[in-house]
Amino acid sequence: MRREHPTTVLRPPEQDTAGTATAVAHPNIALIKYWGKRDERLVLPWTGSLSMTLDVFPTTTRVRLDAEAGHDEAILNGVPATGEARRRITAFLELVRELAGRPERAVVDTGNTVPTGAGLASSASGFAALAVAAAAAYGLDLDEAALSRLARRGSGSASRSVFGGFAVWHAGPDTGTAADADLGSYAEPVPTADLDPALVIAVVNAGPKAVSSREAMRRTVDTSPLYRPWAASSKDDLADMRAALRRGDLEAVGEIAERNALGMHATMLAARPAVRYLSPATVTVLDRVLQLRRDGVGAYATMDAGPNVKVLCSRADAERVAEAVRGAVPDGTVLVAGPGRGARLLNEGGR
Ligand code: 2P0
């Protein structure tokens, strides 16, 4: 992992000491989607996916080991975590303890700058930051592929936020033992030609979603007749996407990303019962994106497990695209993101 000594630390600059580490990570937006697990416990996906890590909405997480504590403690934005969030963090720390062969419980203090559970990838930045901080606090010396595999166990998309820029998460071999497959599923950076991309993010609703992405993808895999055809075509989309990135063809990147995302939403619309994340405001933005293309602007939409829309375009067109999207959803919040950095420790600690 890259380590750095920033001049501004995002949380109270309490010096990290042995058994303590602080990490920062950013969310990523998938251009080829992850939707569906073949193994729930190991978080192994049916298909590979590919994303761009953002330079907005960082998550900062501090992990402090507490040899006296009888249980883990998690604080999210200053509030003690409860329920499913707490369970997932504790399960993740169990995994880290197993790897490190250490018994201490930990205090996890996380500051998220992105709305949680709104389809804006808070679990990606959250578990990437937690993986990097917890590995350091427990004294694990992991390379980036191993950190990516670890982050994946917290949340699949977190495997990609370990890396900056564009990253591909390999589904891993679907033959062999589960353990072999576990080792084979990790993310790594993707070679790209110069693209100068931007993602215009239209937050049309920052509220938490009604159906978690975990539940929605389970239901889709189990009941949607469109799931298998989408998964097959998504494998082709991934190969096409990698080729388009290699040759720096932003138009092809956008077209492939848009069709892959619309296909993913089709799979869930066909689930029983249906999962529909797209709202009228989503469709309004999609119409505006089509209008931009008719006007000669290369703009392409992608949507995740929520109604918010991310519009891929060139950096040079980003302000024009953002203005058009603002006009379409005056009640929404629109911001421009670029490619961001991978997860990293904010200072030395944990050894
Ligand atoms: C993605 N999403 O590729 C896809 C597209 C949402 C739509 O990854 O169950 O929070 O924790 O592995 O990573 C959201 O799913 O799910 C997601 P889990 P995660 O970005």
Side-chain angles (χ1 to χ4, degrees), residues 28 30 32-35 37 43 49 88 123 154-158 160 213-214 217 264 304-305:
N28 68 77
I32 300 295
K33 302 298 187 187
Y34 150 52
W35 197 250
K37 296 176 186 63
V43 192
S49 56
R88 281 177 67 174
S123 72
S155 190
S157 53
R160 300 184 308 237
S213 53
R214 197 157 271 203
M217 61 175 92
M264 175 188 73
D304 295 292

Short mmCIF file of all heavy atoms in Angstrom, two decimals, residues 28 30 32-35 37 43 49 88 123 154-158 160 213-214 217 264 304-305, ligand 1:
data_model
loop_
_atom_site.label_atom_id
_atom_site.label_comp_id
_atom_site.label_asym_id
_atom_site.label_seq_id
_atom_site.Cartn_x
_atom_site.Cartn_y
_atom_site.Cartn_z
N ASN A 28 -16.29 3.73 -5.87
CA ASN A 28 -16.08 3.54 -7.31
C ASN A 28 -17.43 3.33 -7.97
O ASN A 28 -18.38 2.87 -7.33
CB ASN A 28 -15.14 2.36 -7.57
CG ASN A 28 -15.77 1.03 -7.19
OD1 ASN A 28 -16.60 0.50 -7.91
ND2 ASN A 28 -15.37 0.48 -6.03
N ALA A 30 -19.19 1.39 -11.14
CA ALA A 30 -18.94 0.31 -12.10
C ALA A 30 -19.42 0.71 -13.49
O ALA A 30 -20.55 1.19 -13.66
CB ALA A 30 -19.61 -0.97 -11.65
N ILE A 32 -18.86 -1.74 -15.89
CA ILE A 32 -19.39 -3.09 -16.10
C ILE A 32 -19.78 -3.57 -14.71
O ILE A 32 -18.96 -3.60 -13.80
CB ILE A 32 -18.33 -4.04 -16.71
CG1 ILE A 32 -17.84 -3.51 -18.07
CG2 ILE A 32 -18.90 -5.46 -16.85
CD1 ILE A 32 -18.89 -3.47 -19.16
N LYS A 33 -21.05 -3.91 -14.55
CA LYS A 33 -21.60 -4.09 -13.20
C LYS A 33 -21.31 -5.46 -12.60
O LYS A 33 -21.24 -6.47 -13.31
CB LYS A 33 -23.13 -3.90 -13.23
CG LYS A 33 -23.59 -2.55 -13.75
CD LYS A 33 -23.12 -1.39 -12.91
CE LYS A 33 -23.74 -0.07 -13.38
NZ LYS A 33 -23.15 1.08 -12.67
N TYR A 34 -21.21 -5.43 -11.28
CA TYR A 34 -21.23 -6.65 -10.45
C TYR A 34 -22.67 -6.81 -10.01
O TYR A 34 -23.22 -5.93 -9.35
CB TYR A 34 -20.28 -6.44 -9.29
CG TYR A 34 -20.61 -7.14 -7.98
CD1 TYR A 34 -20.85 -8.51 -7.93
CD2 TYR A 34 -20.62 -6.41 -6.79
CE1 TYR A 34 -21.12 -9.14 -6.71
CE2 TYR A 34 -20.87 -7.03 -5.57
CZ TYR A 34 -21.13 -8.38 -5.54
OH TYR A 34 -21.38 -8.99 -4.33
N TRP A 35 -23.29 -7.89 -10.37
CA TRP A 35 -24.68 -8.11 -9.93
C TRP A 35 -24.91 -9.62 -9.82
O TRP A 35 -25.16 -10.28 -10.81
CB TRP A 35 -25.68 -7.45 -10.89
CG TRP A 35 -27.05 -7.31 -10.28
CD1 TRP A 35 -28.19 -7.98 -10.61
CD2 TRP A 35 -27.40 -6.42 -9.21
NE1 TRP A 35 -29.23 -7.58 -9.81
CE2 TRP A 35 -28.78 -6.62 -8.94
CE3 TRP A 35 -26.71 -5.49 -8.44
CZ2 TRP A 35 -29.45 -5.92 -7.94
CZ3 TRP A 35 -27.38 -4.79 -7.45
CH2 TRP A 35 -28.74 -5.01 -7.22
N LYS A 37 -24.01 -13.07 -6.83
CA LYS A 37 -22.91 -13.85 -6.24
C LYS A 37 -23.10 -15.33 -6.53
O LYS A 37 -24.22 -15.83 -6.45
CB LYS A 37 -22.91 -13.68 -4.72
CG LYS A 37 -22.64 -12.29 -4.21
CD LYS A 37 -22.79 -12.28 -2.69
CE LYS A 37 -22.68 -10.89 -2.10
NZ LYS A 37 -23.76 -9.98 -2.55
N VAL A 43 -18.25 -14.07 -0.99
CA VAL A 43 -18.51 -12.93 -1.88
C VAL A 43 -17.77 -13.14 -3.22
O VAL A 43 -16.91 -12.35 -3.62
CB VAL A 43 -18.16 -11.57 -1.24
CG1 VAL A 43 -18.73 -10.41 -2.08
CG2 VAL A 43 -18.68 -11.46 0.18
N SER A 49 -16.23 -7.48 -13.18
CA SER A 49 -16.76 -6.12 -13.29
C SER A 49 -15.61 -5.14 -13.40
O SER A 49 -14.45 -5.50 -13.16
CB SER A 49 -17.65 -5.80 -12.08
OG SER A 49 -16.94 -6.00 -10.87
N ARG A 88 -21.94 -6.71 10.01
CA ARG A 88 -21.00 -6.87 8.89
C ARG A 88 -19.59 -6.43 9.28
O ARG A 88 -18.60 -7.04 8.87
CB ARG A 88 -21.50 -6.09 7.68
CG ARG A 88 -22.60 -6.84 6.94
CD ARG A 88 -23.16 -6.08 5.78
NE ARG A 88 -22.21 -5.90 4.68
CZ ARG A 88 -22.52 -5.37 3.51
NH1 ARG A 88 -23.76 -4.96 3.30
NH2 ARG A 88 -21.62 -5.23 2.57
N SER A 123 -20.58 1.39 0.60
CA SER A 123 -19.98 0.17 1.14
C SER A 123 -18.65 -0.12 0.45
O SER A 123 -17.78 -0.76 1.03
CB SER A 123 -20.93 -1.02 1.04
OG SER A 123 -21.07 -1.45 -0.27
N GLY A 154 -15.80 -8.00 2.71
CA GLY A 154 -16.70 -7.05 3.38
C GLY A 154 -17.83 -6.63 2.46
O GLY A 154 -19.00 -6.63 2.84
N SER A 155 -17.49 -6.29 1.24
CA SER A 155 -18.48 -5.90 0.23
C SER A 155 -17.81 -6.08 -1.12
O SER A 155 -16.68 -5.60 -1.31
CB SER A 155 -18.89 -4.43 0.44
OG SER A 155 -19.98 -4.12 -0.37
N GLY A 156 -18.50 -6.74 -2.04
CA GLY A 156 -17.85 -7.09 -3.30
C GLY A 156 -17.20 -5.90 -3.99
O GLY A 156 -16.02 -5.95 -4.39
N SER A 157 -17.96 -4.81 -4.12
CA SER A 157 -17.45 -3.66 -4.86
C SER A 157 -16.24 -3.01 -4.18
O SER A 157 -15.48 -2.28 -4.82
CB SER A 157 -18.57 -2.63 -5.06
OG SER A 157 -19.15 -2.31 -3.82
N ALA A 158 -16.04 -3.28 -2.89
CA ALA A 158 -14.89 -2.70 -2.17
C ALA A 158 -13.57 -3.23 -2.72
O ALA A 158 -12.53 -2.57 -2.61
CB ALA A 158 -15.00 -3.00 -0.68
N ARG A 160 -12.65 -3.27 -5.62
CA ARG A 160 -12.18 -2.37 -6.69
C ARG A 160 -11.68 -1.04 -6.13
O ARG A 160 -10.86 -0.37 -6.76
CB ARG A 160 -13.32 -2.14 -7.70
CG ARG A 160 -13.82 -3.44 -8.37
CD ARG A 160 -14.87 -3.14 -9.44
NE ARG A 160 -15.93 -2.30 -8.93
CZ ARG A 160 -17.24 -2.61 -8.94
NH1 ARG A 160 -17.66 -3.75 -9.45
NH2 ARG A 160 -18.12 -1.77 -8.45
N SER A 213 -28.85 -3.82 -1.83
CA SER A 213 -28.34 -4.42 -3.07
C SER A 213 -28.06 -5.90 -2.85
O SER A 213 -28.21 -6.72 -3.75
CB SER A 213 -27.11 -3.68 -3.59
OG SER A 213 -26.14 -3.56 -2.60
N ARG A 214 -27.66 -6.25 -1.64
CA ARG A 214 -27.38 -7.65 -1.32
C ARG A 214 -28.63 -8.50 -1.55
O ARG A 214 -28.60 -9.53 -2.23
CB ARG A 214 -26.91 -7.74 0.13
CG ARG A 214 -26.22 -9.01 0.47
CD ARG A 214 -25.31 -8.85 1.66
NE ARG A 214 -23.97 -8.43 1.26
CZ ARG A 214 -22.87 -8.64 2.00
NH1 ARG A 214 -22.97 -9.24 3.17
NH2 ARG A 214 -21.70 -8.25 1.58
N MET A 217 -29.73 -8.45 -5.36
CA MET A 217 -28.99 -9.31 -6.30
C MET A 217 -29.29 -10.79 -6.03
O MET A 217 -29.38 -11.59 -6.96
CB MET A 217 -27.50 -8.99 -6.37
CG MET A 217 -26.65 -9.10 -5.19
SD MET A 217 -24.89 -8.78 -5.64
CE MET A 217 -24.74 -7.04 -5.35
N MET A 264 -28.55 -4.68 -16.59
CA MET A 264 -28.61 -5.09 -15.18
C MET A 264 -29.96 -4.71 -14.56
O MET A 264 -30.60 -5.50 -13.86
CB MET A 264 -27.48 -4.44 -14.39
CG MET A 264 -27.56 -4.73 -12.90
SD MET A 264 -26.37 -3.78 -11.91
CE MET A 264 -27.10 -2.14 -11.94
N ASP A 304 -26.87 2.54 -10.45
CA ASP A 304 -26.58 1.41 -9.57
C ASP A 304 -27.82 1.04 -8.76
O ASP A 304 -28.92 1.20 -9.26
CB ASP A 304 -25.35 1.75 -8.73
CG ASP A 304 -24.14 1.90 -9.64
OD1 ASP A 304 -23.73 0.87 -10.20
OD2 ASP A 304 -23.66 3.02 -9.86
N ALA A 305 -27.62 0.58 -7.53
CA ALA A 305 -28.77 0.13 -6.74
C ALA A 305 -29.45 1.34 -6.08
O ALA A 305 -29.50 1.45 -4.86
CB ALA A 305 -28.32 -0.89 -5.72
C1 2P0 B 1 -21.38 -2.53 -8.75
N1 2P0 B 1 -23.34 -2.66 -7.23
O1 2P0 B 1 -20.73 -3.20 -9.56
C2 2P0 B 1 -22.81 -2.97 -8.51
C3 2P0 B 1 -23.76 -2.36 -9.48
C4 2P0 B 1 -24.63 -2.07 -7.29
C5 2P0 B 1 -25.03 -2.09 -8.70
O2 2P0 B 1 -21.62 -3.54 -6.15
O3 2P0 B 1 -23.41 -7.67 -1.31
O4 2P0 B 1 -22.56 -3.29 -1.91
O5 2P0 B 1 -21.77 -6.09 -0.30
O6 2P0 B 1 -21.09 -7.55 -2.21
O7 2P0 B 1 -20.78 -4.37 -3.35
C6 2P0 B 1 -23.41 -2.99 -4.83
O8 2P0 B 1 -23.16 -4.14 -4.17
O9 2P0 B 1 -22.73 -5.72 -2.55
C7 2P0 B 1 -22.74 -3.08 -6.10
P1 2P0 B 1 -22.21 -6.81 -1.55
P2 2P0 B 1 -22.19 -4.29 -2.93
O10 2P0 B 1 -20.91 -1.50 -8.22
#
